[in-house]
Amino acid sequence: MDLSYIALLMPSLLRGLGQTLWLFALTLIFSLPLGLVFTLGSISKIPPLRWLSRLYIWVFRGTPLMLQLFFIYYGLPFLGVAFDRTTSAVVTFVLNYAAYFAEIYRAGIQSIDRGQHEAAKTLGFTPWQTMRLIILPQTISRVIPPVCNETITLVKDTALVTAIGVGELLKAAEGAVNRDMDITAYILVALIYLALTFVLTVVYERLEKRFSRHQKKEA
Amino acid sequence: MAILTVENLTKRYGGFEALKGVSLSMDRGETVAIIGSSGSGKSTLLRCINTLERVSGGRIEIDGEVLVDTINGQVKYPPEKELRRICMKTSMVFQQFNLFPHLTCLENITIAPIKILGQNRADAIAKADRLLRLVGMESKADSFPSMLSGGQQQRVAIARALAVDPQLMLFDEPTSALDPELTAEVISVIAKLAQQDMTMLIVTHEMEFARTVADRVLFFEDGEIIAGGTAAEFFENQQNERIRRFLNGFQK
């Protein structure tokens, strides 16, 4: 492998990486909390809220992410809402990932022992206080592994946005490979994706440890 | 004045009648033990008193306030907020402790006083310290529940239940999940509360505990109270053959 060729590729790959990370970060920042909104909706005692949340989750988990990209970028303009390519990509990813996170949170919340709800109730907690002060804090450590899993999928899913013409890491490599008839760029992006997922794994391991301090037994 | 009055309480789960018209009354400062076979409705009674279960019929009054009443066959509860206020006159200790695992012992005890009763932090902590000493757990204030034995967890759970200043403590088989040694330490804490004239309604399978700590004993069978009396009469001079057999089953 030729080092000077790699040096030549790097600027465009790094630009692609920047776009990928930008999409990744925005998606996480908005979808993590939005997911919780749909979780609370889907377990709400108010039927219309529950139905709407569950319908939402069903639609966004039940159709391909690529199709959702097409709908939002090519379809919404017919309804008078037009986003540029990047905004369309971010909106689609946020909506899609919020649905997945919502289900992860729901499973976490429902795995908490019923005795916790009962104890809180006998101490005078309202259902919302119970959720906020007792149930959600315990849910965090349980949902970190599945959220981590989903986040790693997100890193790789970002490659889909080329379908609506948004530049990103894989697209940058593809350009170089086609131009130079050399797969070095593919190898480089593979390494970059691996580095990203490695960093994520480490970060989540730390978080998991931090949030499950209380589960440690004394020796 | 009675702190608790239960009249003709019924509870059905589908076709199963867990409580078939239970009536009882408790005075302030009394310790009442409820004994009887598993599945006889003892725990259900406690859970109806603090609305973990909704009754199918009957009337419950706590400290002179109506928790639930049945008028012309219609069960009537006050609005949610009012109901919560009345229920907070009671507090419960569970068989499985149900401490909050993400909080330290101290935080388990202070969370309700601070977040629910709106007490200031310093007062709540001072009080929690007192309660921890009462249950002999002051050295574990900053430990998490997972670091404690079952008996220690239950003692902290008792402190937590006391922290909201209940007028009536409900104990739902507080020692059933504990081995004999740990049972003893929990029982001695409850006995201490009895001496301080805490009002307590205790579901238990510990006959010796019922005999020594309770002022009165109620015997449950098939969703009904079929006998009751002072602890002395009940254990020493039991006329009912069925109950004698039940009690003998425990002697060993």
Side-chain angles (χ1 to χ4, degrees):
Chain A
M1 232 186 280
D2 183 355
L3 277 181
S4 67
Y5 178 58
I6 293 174
L8 192 73
L9 289 176
M10 279 326 267
S12 70
L13 290 188
L14 287 179
R15 235 185 347 268
L17 173 63
Q19 288 162 315
T20 290
L21 286 179
W22 178 238
L23 176 62
F24 171 79
L26 284 179
T27 303
L28 271 194
I29 289 168
F30 291 107
S31 63
L32 284 171
L34 185 61
L36 184 59
V37 173
F38 288 114
T39 302
L40 296 176
S42 72
I43 57 175
S44 162
K45 293 214 164 68
I46 306 161
L49 210 59
R50 196 168 61 234
W51 299 330
L52 277 177
S53 302
R54 290 186 180 175
L55 177 69
Y56 174 90
I57 291 168
W58 178 52
V59 167
F60 276 88
R61 288 202 315 162
T63 56
L65 178 53
M66 182 100 81
L67 183 61
Q68 292 164 20
L69 269 175
F70 291 155
F71 262 108
I72 288 186
Y73 183 60
Y74 298 116
L76 280 190
F78 289 107
L79 302 173
V81 186
F83 296 128
D84 63 41
R85 293 170 199 279
T86 313
T87 313
S88 297
V90 172
V91 168
T92 311
F93 272 69
V94 168
L95 294 178
N96 179 276
Y97 271 82
Y100 281 95
F101 288 137
E103 279 299 276
I104 290 175
Y105 300 158
R106 188 182 59 78
I109 286 171
Q110 292 179 341
S111 74
I112 305 290
D113 185 60
R114 198 171 55 120
Q116 294 289 305
H117 291 270
E118 293 188 348
K121 187 173 183 196
T122 62
L123 290 169
F125 288 65
T126 64
W128 171 237
Q129 286 170 324
T130 304
M131 187 54 73
R132 194 164 53 84
L133 299 167
I134 306 300
I135 305 302
L136 288 180
Q138 294 183 51
T139 305
I140 292 173
S141 65
R142 297 195 189 188
V143 301
I144 285 175
V147 164
C148 171
N149 222 3
E150 207 53 44
T151 308
I152 286 173
T153 305
L154 170 61
V155 172
K156 296 171 293 174
D157 272 356
T158 53
L160 287 175
V161 297
T162 48
I164 58 167
V166 178
E168 48 72 50
L169 184 57
L170 184 56
K171 182 75 185 169
E174 198 187 348
V177 169
N178 287 338
R179 187 188 60 219
D180 304 332
M181 302 302 270
D182 185 324
I183 60 154
T184 306
Y186 280 158
I187 295 169
L188 290 175
V189 291
L191 293 175
I192 293 174
Y193 279 118
L194 283 172
L196 285 180
T197 50
F198 176 74
V199 169
L200 282 174
T201 311
V202 171
V203 167
Y204 279 106
E205 262 171 22
R206 291 257 168 94
L207 282 176
E208 204 181 332
K209 231 175 239 167
R210 202 183 116 62
F211 280 102
S212 50
R213 260 176 326 176
H214 61 270
Q215 285 157 355
K216 233 181 285 165
K217 292 245 181 199
E218 255 172 6
Chain B
M1 196 187 81
I3 181 78
L4 172 72
T5 316
V6 175
E7 284 167 22
N8 205 21
L9 192 66
T10 58
K11 173 66 186 176
R12 278 185 303 276
Y13 297 99
F16 175 71
E17 250 190 321
L19 296 175
K20 303 174 182 168
V22 169
S23 299
L24 70 107
S25 161
M26 276 180 75
D27 286 329
R28 250 174 235 286
E30 246 191 328
T31 298
V32 175
I34 301 179
I35 61 176
S37 321
S38 299
S40 58
K42 309 183 298 292
S43 295
T44 306
L45 170 66
L46 292 197
R47 296 169 62 83
C48 284
I49 293 171
N50 63 13
T51 68
L52 287 180
E53 307 279 352
R54 294 292 173 111
V55 308
S56 306
R59 175 184 169 89
I60 300 175
E61 222 176 85
I62 298 173
D63 191 27
E65 297 195 85
V66 180
L67 179 81
V68 58
D69 205 353
T70 304
I71 299 156
N72 299 328
Q74 284 283 5
V75 176
K76 288 220 185 329
Y77 279 96
E80 201 61 39
K81 212 173 152 192
E82 179 73 356
L83 194 60
R84 197 155 41 237
R85 187 183 61 75
I86 299 173
C87 273
M88 283 180 69
K89 292 168 184 275
T90 73
S91 200
M92 192 173 212
V93 174
F94 297 86
Q95 182 178 348
Q96 297 296 339
F97 332 132
N98 296 345
L99 287 176
F100 304 132
H102 62 302
L103 302 178
T104 63
C105 293
L106 186 79
E107 290 165 342
N108 261 281
I109 300 171
T110 56
I111 187 167
I114 293 172
K115 301 285 185 183
I116 312 300
L117 303 177
Q119 290 173 7
N120 82 48
R121 226 184 143 66
D123 291 351
I125 290 175
K127 180 162 183 204
D129 283 336
R130 237 178 13 254
L131 290 169
L132 279 169
R133 273 200 301 279
L134 177 74
V135 300
M137 289 294 294
E138 63 275 22
S139 63
K140 299 286 186 183
D142 298 319
S143 301
F144 286 102
S146 65
M147 300 167 177
L148 307 179
S149 73
Q152 292 175 320
Q153 289 191 48
Q154 191 62 298
R155 279 145 65 195
V156 173
I158 292 171
R160 177 180 70 175
L162 289 167
V164 292
D165 290 322
Q167 308 205 28
L168 169 63
M169 285 280 282
L170 306 170
F171 290 81
D172 189 7
E173 300 194 22
T175 61
S176 296
L178 303 173
D179 65 40
E181 205 174 334
L182 301 179
T183 296
E185 68 186 45
V186 170
I187 283 178
S188 80
V189 167
I190 300 174
K192 195 146 67 162
L193 293 176
Q195 277 163 19
Q196 299 180 0
D197 286 334
M198 177 49 90
T199 313
M200 298 187 283
L201 185 55
I202 306 171
V203 170
T204 185
H205 289 296
E206 291 292 324
M207 294 309 129
E208 191 51 35
F209 168 51
R211 186 213 307 269
T212 53
V213 174
D215 301 308
R216 258 194 309 142
V217 177
L218 301 174
F219 187 85
F220 253 72
E221 188 158 82
D222 289 334
E224 288 175 285
I225 296 174
I226 61 164
T230 66
E233 314 172 336
F234 187 86
F235 287 103
E236 316 308 336
N237 194 17
Q238 186 52 252
Q239 302 298 319
N240 184 314
E241 183 54 32
R242 161 79 188 99
I243 299 175
R244 270 224 301 274
R245 255 184 308 157
F246 177 87
L247 295 176
N248 285 337
F250 278 93
Q251 271 167 13
K252 216 177 268 181

